[in-house]
């Protein structure tokens, strides 16, 4: 095994190489991760064929499972977008006498964010925040920040989001458990980081009107939107199927035909496949969309996921190289000697990488590569808990390196200082609260 100094040196410099390549030289994360993979392999003196084999296996092993799920999940999200189903949830919640507008935005973000990429969720749901801000004469910051914080939380810790699913798959965690625990942690973290944080500031939060360039953006008329029951059915069908399978594995004979059927339908690929076709019919065909229109929407949403697929594939290659080169095993021994709790370590690595690279997805993949080797040394900590810890870390430190930072700034018409003060702080608070929730759950999971 390579000496500790070499292992740490290669790992640290490879992470720095990724950061500098993306931030300084504006290299695409896919290329940056591939560059780091070759860099590690060469420094660890891997044989050329072994190096290339590890990259191929890393990409293939990762995308072999995730590509279909990401594609199917994107179709489901697109159908929610074009049909107006996401807006239906927000409009329905607005009628509640018991929920404040900022809490409504958190719930909308959590529910709709399950099937939407975070940036898409912001673009799709921000008109709802505009509408509520106008009707209630509320500062746009007090609505947009809770919404975007919730979208970020669900993006990082709730499968079937690609990054969360990547970590779940790599750590061999139970997807149903991660979904339930992630939604619980995400809800609490979003409520504390969004509404509670801004309410404590009271009048210190500046009043922001809807920016002039977005003043004519309107929420669609409710009569043109699908029903609430249909909307919730499409969103929760895949989650319900995966949860039923999780519950069954503890209560049903795993060799029985009944369990095998539940296992088949509870597999993420099958669950999302059924959900995608349900959305096609209930949100598309049944609402007078033709097959040619559905084809156009599908082609459009597929073109948007090429970027994330390449990044995730390269992340798999980087993980494969770390494992094949011997760095993973050596790192596990080094980390085991550190006087730091593995949950805290997983969170810390993820939040630092997110701040440095500006991508929660890249941060979670990098943190997984670093933390995964030590799991065998801490059998008392479940992989589901480490998955939550990594996702909790990735929520925080949404700063200028992250495209989401600029998206929120643009829609809120705020200054950079205001977004740093309110949105960056909100995600940091949510991240810390999620860490606390993860520690709490570690006593029962």
């Amino acid at each position: 095994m390579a000496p500790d100094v070499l292992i740490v040196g290669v790992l640290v410099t490879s992470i720095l190489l990724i950061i500098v390549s993306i931030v300084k030289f504006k290299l695409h994360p896919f290329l940056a991760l591939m560059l780091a993979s070759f860099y590690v392999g060469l420094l660890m003196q891997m044989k050329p064929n072994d190096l290339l084999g590890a990259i191929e296996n890393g990409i293939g092993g990762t995308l072999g499972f995730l590509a279909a799920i990401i594609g199917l999940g994107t179709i489901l999200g697109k159908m929610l977008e074009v049909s107006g189903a996401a807006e239906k949830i927000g409009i329905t919640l607005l009628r509640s006498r018991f929920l404040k507008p900022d809490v409504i935005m958190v719930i909308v973000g959590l529910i709709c964010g399950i099937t939407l990429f975070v940036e898409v969720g912001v673009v799709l749901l921000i008109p709802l925040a505009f509408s509520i801000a106008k009707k209630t004469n509320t500062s746009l910051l007090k609505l947009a920040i809770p919404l975007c914080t919730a979208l970020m939380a669900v993006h990082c810790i709730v499968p079937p989001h690609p990054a969360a699913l990547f970590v779940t798959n790599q750590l061999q965690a139970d997807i149903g458990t991660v979904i339930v625990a992630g939604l619980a942690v995400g809800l609490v973290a979003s409520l504390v980081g969004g509404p509670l944080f801004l309410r404590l500031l009271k009048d210190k939060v500046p009043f922001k009107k809807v920016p002039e360039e977005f003043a004519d953006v309107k929420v669609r008329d409710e009569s043109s939107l699908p029903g609430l029951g249909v909307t919730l059915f499409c969103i929760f069908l895949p989650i319900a199927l995966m949860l039923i399978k999780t519950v069954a594995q503890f209560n049903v004979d795993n060799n029985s035909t009944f369990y095998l059927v539940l296992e088949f339908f509870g597999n993420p690929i099958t669950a999302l496949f059924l959900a995608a076709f349900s959305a096609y019919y209930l949100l598309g065909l049944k609402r007078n969309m033709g097959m040619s229109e559905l084809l156009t929407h599908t082609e459009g949403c597929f073109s948007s996921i090429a970027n994330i697929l390449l990044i995730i594939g390269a992340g798999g290659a980087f993980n494969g190289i770390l494992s094949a080169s011997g760095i993973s095993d050596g790192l596990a021994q080094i980390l085991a000697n550190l006087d730091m709790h593995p949950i805290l370590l997983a969170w810390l690595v993820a939040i630092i990488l997110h701040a440095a690279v500006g991508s929660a997805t890249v941060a979670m993949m990098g943190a997984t590569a670093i933390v995964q080797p030590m799991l065998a040394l801490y059998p008392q900590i479940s992989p589901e808990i480490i998955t939550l810890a990594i996702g909790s870390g990735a929520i925080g430190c949404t700063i200028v390196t992250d495209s989401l930072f600029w998206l929120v700034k643009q829609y809120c018409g705020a200054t950079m200082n205001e977004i740093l003060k309110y949105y960056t702080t909100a995600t940091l608070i949510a991240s810390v609260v999620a860490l606390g929730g993860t520690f709490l759950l570690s006593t029962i999971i």
Side-chain angles (χ1 to χ4, degrees):
M1 183 178 294
D4 291 354
V5 174
L6 177 61
I7 289 173
V8 173
V10 171
L11 180 66
V12 171
T13 53
S14 66
I15 297 295
L16 288 175
L17 179 61
I18 294 171
I19 294 171
V20 172
S21 298
I22 294 173
V23 177
K24 178 69 175 177
F25 297 104
K26 309 302 180 186
L27 208 60
H28 190 278
F30 167 74
L31 294 174
L33 285 162
M34 290 297 292
L35 179 62
S37 299
F38 280 107
Y39 171 82
V40 170
L42 292 173
L43 284 188
M44 295 302 293
Q45 299 180 352
M46 293 180 67
K47 295 178 180 178
N49 287 341
D50 292 342
L51 191 157
L52 294 173
I55 290 177
E56 291 176 7
N57 292 335
I59 294 175
T62 300
L63 292 183
F65 174 69
L66 293 181
I69 293 174
I70 294 172
L72 292 167
T74 304
I75 291 174
L76 180 56
K78 188 66 175 181
M79 293 308 300
L80 292 174
E81 175 187 342
V82 300
S83 67
E87 293 175 22
K88 178 65 177 181
I89 295 174
I91 291 173
T92 302
L93 287 172
L94 278 173
R95 297 197 183 100
S96 172
R97 298 179 180 179
F98 306 102
L99 299 175
K100 298 293 185 181
D102 50 359
V103 175
I104 289 174
M105 297 314 297
V106 167
I107 296 174
V108 169
L110 282 175
I111 294 175
C112 299
I114 292 171
T115 58
L116 296 171
F117 290 111
V118 61
E119 290 85 358
V120 175
V122 173
V123 174
L124 174 62
L125 297 173
I126 202 69
L128 189 61
F130 292 161
S131 177
I132 297 175
K134 290 177 182 178
K135 290 178 181 178
T136 60
N137 196 33
T138 303
S139 172
L140 183 57
L141 286 174
K142 292 186 177 181
L143 299 176
I145 289 176
L147 170 65
C148 297
T149 302
L151 285 169
M152 189 63 180
V154 76
H155 174 82
C156 293
I157 60 178
V158 181
H161 268 287
L165 199 56
F166 172 87
V167 181
T168 302
N169 186 45
Q170 287 292 122
L171 301 185
Q172 298 181 341
D174 179 76
I175 189 170
T177 303
V178 174
I179 288 174
V180 173
L183 284 172
V185 169
L187 175 61
V188 175
S190 300
L191 288 173
V192 176
L196 182 59
F197 162 60
L198 295 176
R199 288 182 191 182
L200 290 175
L201 293 178
K202 297 181 180 178
D203 296 333
K204 293 180 181 179
V205 180
F207 184 84
K208 290 288 179 182
K209 296 190 298 183
V210 177
E212 290 297 326
E213 61 266 35
F214 304 117
D216 59 346
V217 175
K218 301 184 185 301
V219 177
R220 280 176 277 194
D221 185 79
E222 187 173 3
S223 62
S224 68
L225 303 177
L228 179 64
V230 168
T231 297
L232 294 177
F233 175 81
C234 291
I235 291 174
F236 288 111
L237 173 61
I239 292 176
L241 290 173
M242 288 185 275
L243 290 179
I244 289 172
K245 180 256 181 182
T246 296
V247 172
Q249 70 183 10
F250 297 109
N251 298 282
V252 178
D253 179 9
N254 290 7
N255 295 317
S256 67
T257 302
F258 180 58
Y259 176 77
L260 293 176
V261 171
L262 293 179
E263 186 178 40
F264 173 76
F265 285 103
N267 183 283
I269 295 177
T270 311
L272 283 164
F273 180 80
L274 293 173
F277 274 90
S278 296
Y280 266 158
Y281 176 70
L282 296 172
L283 302 178
L285 296 174
K286 200 173 181 181
R287 306 190 73 251
N288 301 318
M289 287 188 196
M291 285 303 300
S292 59
E293 187 178 355
L294 292 178
L295 177 60
T296 300
H297 289 316
T298 302
E299 290 174 340
C301 75
F302 279 170
S303 64
S304 67
I305 64 172
N307 186 57
I308 192 70
L309 284 174
L310 285 172
I311 293 174
I312 287 178
F318 184 59
N319 285 357
I321 285 290
L322 291 183
S323 178
S325 66
I327 284 185
S328 291
D329 293 336
L331 183 63
Q333 295 297 326
I334 294 171
L335 293 176
N337 295 326
L338 291 178
D339 189 21
M340 181 179 291
H341 197 286
I343 295 176
L344 180 60
L345 177 65
W347 176 86
L348 189 62
V349 172
I351 196 171
I352 290 173
L353 285 178
H354 184 197
V357 179
S359 167
T361 301
V362 175
M364 291 172 70
M365 291 189 296
T368 302
I370 293 172
V371 174
Q372 184 179 8
M374 64 186 297
L375 288 184
L377 303 174
Y378 293 92
Q380 74 276 20
I381 299 177
S382 71
E384 291 80 16
I385 290 298
I386 297 297
T387 300
L388 289 178
I390 291 173
S392 298
I395 295 171
C397 277
T398 304
I399 57 175
V400 295
T401 54
D402 194 330
S403 60
L404 183 63
F405 176 93
W406 301 103
L407 193 63
V408 176
K409 177 183 180 299
Q410 178 187 10
Y411 277 121
C412 289
T415 65
M416 183 185 296
N417 185 54
E418 287 170 338
I419 295 300
L420 282 169
K421 185 182 295 184
Y422 302 113
Y423 183 55
T424 301
T425 304
T427 59
L428 180 59
I429 292 172
S431 179
V432 173
V433 171
L435 172 65
T438 301
F439 268 112
L440 184 63
L441 286 174
S442 69
T443 61
I444 56 177
I445 296 180

